[in-house]
């Protein structure tokens, strides 16, 4: 009989990067390598301060600058924790929609927008990815990362909106078509636990470490 590994006791802090100018402008970032803006740096510092009491075995980050900058600020409180970049944590490939502003996209691509609203799990970004593809690589990355650490480890993963939302859908057993029921603000904290071979979400979209006006603001 094949021995199955017991994942209980592995804690994953899944965080989103801080704000960028493109977040502020409502531009679709995808894989465009946009850095944090000043507010994003402040958010990331607040995030890092909130997590300084954690005993991190390792930190994993998307290779995009906004995620790496956030992860490096967190690492400042955890000098012994190695920081790894993982390509499978990169944001959804938006293909032809990269860089476009939301209102212009809605006007220019009305038919696609309707399909994206009605049945998002069934569509693929032109020249890019689908939510199913993002979820497949993101969950595989999470499994690979946790397999490389012993029981009792606390790990931090810094990634992006769609990557995190698809992981949360998996953990909460929510169909991808309902991903909008979940929110993921910039610099948000999610706490996952691997227990009894199952992934569970204990905290979702916690932004209580940010100033009150930020916490109330819709992502």
């Amino acid at each position: 009989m094949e021995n199955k590994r017991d994942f209980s006791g592995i804690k994953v802090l899944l965080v989103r990067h801080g704000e960028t100018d493109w977040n502020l402008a409502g531009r679709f970032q995808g894989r465009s390598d946009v850095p944090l803006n000043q507010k994003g740096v402040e958010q990331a510092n607040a995030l890092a301060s909130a997590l300084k009491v954690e005993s991190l075995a390792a930190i994993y980050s998307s290779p995009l600058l906004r995620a790496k900058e956030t992860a490096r600020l967190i690492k400042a409180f955890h000098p012994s924790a190695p920081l790894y970049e993982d390509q499978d944590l990169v944001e959804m490939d938006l293909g032809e929609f990269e860089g476009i502003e939301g209102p212009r996209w809605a006007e220019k691509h009305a038919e696609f927008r309707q399909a994206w609203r009605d049945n998002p799990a069934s569509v693929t970004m032109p020249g890019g990815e689908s939510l199913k593809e993002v979820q497949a690589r993101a969950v595989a990355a999470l499994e690979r990362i946790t397999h490389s650490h012993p029981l009792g480890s606390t790990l931090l993963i810094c990634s992006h909106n769609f990557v995190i939302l698809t992981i949360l859908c998996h953990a909460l057993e929510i169909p991808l078509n309902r991903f909008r029921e979940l929110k993921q603000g910039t610099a948000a904290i999610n706490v996952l636990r691997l227990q009894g071979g199952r992934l569970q979400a204990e905290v979702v979209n916690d932004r209580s470490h940010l100033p009150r006006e930020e916490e109330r603001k819709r992502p």
Side-chain angles (χ1 to χ4, degrees):
M1 180 182 294
E2 181 183 356
N3 291 325
K4 293 186 178 180
R5 186 178 178 217
D6 181 6
F7 284 109
S8 62
I10 294 185
K11 179 180 178 181
V12 179
L13 301 169
L14 181 61
V15 303
R16 189 183 177 195
H17 61 80
E19 184 186 89
T20 72
D21 284 341
W22 282 28
N23 288 135
L24 189 61
R27 293 182 68 184
F28 295 174
Q29 286 184 110
R31 298 190 177 181
S32 299
D33 212 5
V34 185
L36 299 178
N37 59 20
Q38 182 57 43
K39 183 176 176 181
V41 171
E42 293 169 1
Q43 289 180 330
N45 276 320
L47 175 62
S49 180
L51 296 174
K52 66 183 180 181
V53 298
E54 299 286 347
S55 180
L56 299 183
I59 299 171
Y60 292 82
S61 174
S62 155
L64 295 178
L65 189 56
R66 57 193 185 271
K68 290 193 296 184
E69 288 177 332
T70 302
R72 287 168 183 160
L73 289 171
I74 295 170
K75 180 175 167 54
F77 290 102
H78 307 274
S80 64
L83 172 57
Y84 304 105
E85 293 180 26
D86 193 312
Q87 182 63 36
D88 286 333
L89 298 175
V90 73
E91 181 58 302
M92 185 178 191
D93 186 348
L94 300 181
E96 297 175 12
F97 298 150
E98 289 275 346
I100 194 171
E101 293 184 357
R104 181 169 174 266
W105 172 78
E107 179 182 358
K108 189 175 180 180
H109 302 279
E111 186 175 342
F112 184 93
R113 176 176 178 267
Q114 190 62 46
W116 174 244
R117 287 175 62 88
D118 293 345
N119 191 11
S122 70
V123 300
T124 300
M125 300 296 169
E129 287 183 296
S130 67
L131 283 174
K132 291 179 181 178
E133 289 171 326
V134 175
Q135 186 179 62
R137 65 171 167 82
V139 171
L142 180 64
E143 292 176 350
R144 171 168 38 78
I145 288 168
T146 55
H147 267 84
S148 64
H149 294 276
L151 298 177
S153 298
T154 297
L155 309 173
L156 185 132
I157 294 176
C158 186
S159 192
H160 307 270
N161 184 50
F162 285 118
V163 170
I164 294 173
L165 288 174
T166 60
I167 289 175
L168 290 174
C169 282
H170 173 73
L172 294 167
E173 299 183 346
I174 294 175
L176 286 173
N177 273 337
R178 293 168 50 197
F179 82 93
R180 293 187 184 88
E181 294 177 14
L182 303 171
K183 303 296 180 185
Q184 197 59 205
T186 50
I189 299 172
N190 306 277
V191 180
L192 308 180
R193 195 174 299 273
L194 290 161
Q195 187 170 9
R198 292 187 60 189
L199 180 66
Q200 300 175 339
E202 297 182 347
V203 177
V204 174
N205 195 36
D206 180 9
R207 305 180 81 215
S208 60
H209 49 284
L210 301 178
R212 189 169 297 276
E213 62 272 17
E214 286 297 309
E215 183 185 349
R216 288 199 303 263
K217 186 176 180 181
R218 183 175 178 175

